[in-house]
Amino acid sequence: MRNAFERVLNAALLKGFVAGLSYRLGGLGKVRVTRQEVELDPGRRLAQPLRIGFASDFHAGPTTHPAIFGDLLAAIRAEAPDVMLLGGDYVCFDAENVAVLADFIAGARAPLGTYAVIGNHDIWNGRGIIEDALRAGGAEVLVNRNVALPAPFGDVSVCGIDDPWTGAPSAGATFAGAGAVRIYLTHSPDGLYRLERQRFDVAFAGHTHGGQIALPDGAPLFHPSGPCSRDFCYGRYDVSGNGPLIVSRGVGCSGIPLRLNADPELLICTLR
């Protein structure tokens, strides 16, 4: 039923024409840079600050005009983060739409690496094609595993879990052997629901789009499904016994090519 609905929606959106018109009229919003700082506990101090870039929910396809990815790439290059994290949902409707992101993925590579997790739309539409495209662009795909960053951040591990509901998440495997400082990368805030008592110092999630259509004060008109996604729709949240969870508005559009009071976002987080 979902695939049939998406075929109808693809036709109604004139295979991207409506998204292009929306972009030119400002309906997809303007890429904004949001900044956060996270102070580590004294026992886990870093030799120097680590600047982390995070972007999610690209939804390449007829709902998102490709020019928005160029705008995002320009913002990443201007900010020059040390490491780049990608939060999933790279496509809408068809895995082959990931080809639109090829230049972005290759251009967004950071000095300490680019690391990616997979979202529900990717799994619905064919994750193998999408994972191959990410790797071809130089991103390391993390599915229930972690990797240590290069020196001087060898104690920092990026821990990426599979999508909390449509994937096969395993927090035990995700954090196995992780370093003293742990960055938790999950497509959805519901990664907290799948945490299984594991510890992290900062977590990044997307999926919610900040509602995609929100009131002027940012309150979403539509809340996503999922116990943690409903409660943690956008912004920074303190998590008992862990570091903060930071939820991004994402970049592209799902369903309809329109963002209102929920601009596309590049998150820059400095870990000190």
Side-chain angles (χ1 to χ4, degrees), residues 58-151:
F58 304 88
H59 291 287
T63 59
T64 306
H65 193 261
I68 206 78
F69 307 133
D71 298 340
L72 175 63
L73 182 56
I76 292 171
R77 287 174 170 167
E79 292 294 328
D82 299 314
V83 60
M84 191 68 205
L85 307 180
L86 306 178
D89 274 5
Y90 303 96
V91 303
C92 264
F93 304 169
D94 188 337
E96 297 293 348
N97 288 331
V98 75
V100 175
L101 291 172
D103 290 343
F104 168 81
I105 296 168
R109 294 175 67 177
L112 300 182
T114 300
Y115 305 92
V117 291
I118 296 300
N120 53 296
H121 281 264
D122 308 317
I123 293 173
W124 289 338
N125 290 290
R127 67 184 299 164
I129 293 172
I130 294 164
E131 290 181 8
D132 288 346
L134 288 165
R135 295 187 185 102
E140 186 156 358
V141 180
L142 302 180
V143 180
N144 298 328
R145 67 186 186 94
N146 65 81
V147 295
L149 295 182

Side-chain angles (χ1 to χ4, degrees), residues 36-258:
Q36 295 279 352
E37 293 200 3
V38 174
E39 289 281 344
L40 294 171
D41 292 337
R44 295 195 290 275
R45 298 281 182 176
L46 301 178
Q48 62 192 64
L50 175 66
R51 298 183 74 249
I52 303 165
F54 176 68
S56 186
D57 300 276
F58 304 88
H59 291 287
T63 59
T64 306
H65 193 261
I68 206 78
F69 307 133
D71 298 340
L72 175 63
L73 182 56
I76 292 171
R77 287 174 170 167
E79 292 294 328
D82 299 314
V83 60
M84 191 68 205
L85 307 180
L86 306 178
D89 274 5
Y90 303 96
V91 303
C92 264
F93 304 169
D94 188 337
E96 297 293 348
N97 288 331
V98 75
V100 175
L101 291 172
D103 290 343
F104 168 81
I105 296 168
R109 294 175 67 177
L112 300 182
T114 300
Y115 305 92
V117 291
I118 296 300
N120 53 296
H121 281 264
D122 308 317
I123 293 173
W124 289 338
N125 290 290
R127 67 184 299 164
I129 293 172
I130 294 164
E131 290 181 8
D132 288 346
L134 288 165
R135 295 187 185 102
E140 186 156 358
V141 180
L142 302 180
V143 180
N144 298 328
R145 67 186 186 94
N146 65 81
V147 295
L149 295 182
F153 300 105
D155 290 336
V156 180
S157 292
V158 180
C159 308
I161 197 168
D162 205 2
D163 182 69
W165 298 113
T166 60
S170 170
T174 297
F175 288 91
V181 178
R182 299 175 172 191
I183 299 170
Y184 186 29
L185 182 58
T186 170
H187 170 62
S188 162
D190 291 306
L192 293 183
Y193 188 79
R194 301 293 195 178
L195 195 55
E196 301 173 8
R197 300 181 183 271
Q198 296 292 337
R199 180 192 64 79
F200 63 80
D201 295 281
V202 61
F204 298 96
H207 180 65
T208 68
H209 297 206
Q212 191 168 308
I213 298 176
L215 298 174
D217 64 357
L221 292 183
F222 306 98
H223 286 270
S225 61
C228 298
S229 295
R230 284 192 296 269
D231 294 336
F232 308 131
C233 191
Y234 173 67
R236 178 170 174 157
Y237 302 91
D238 293 327
V239 179
S240 178
N242 281 292
L245 166 68
I246 305 174
V247 183
S248 169
R249 289 187 300 260
V251 178
C253 295
S254 179
I256 59 173
L258 179 66

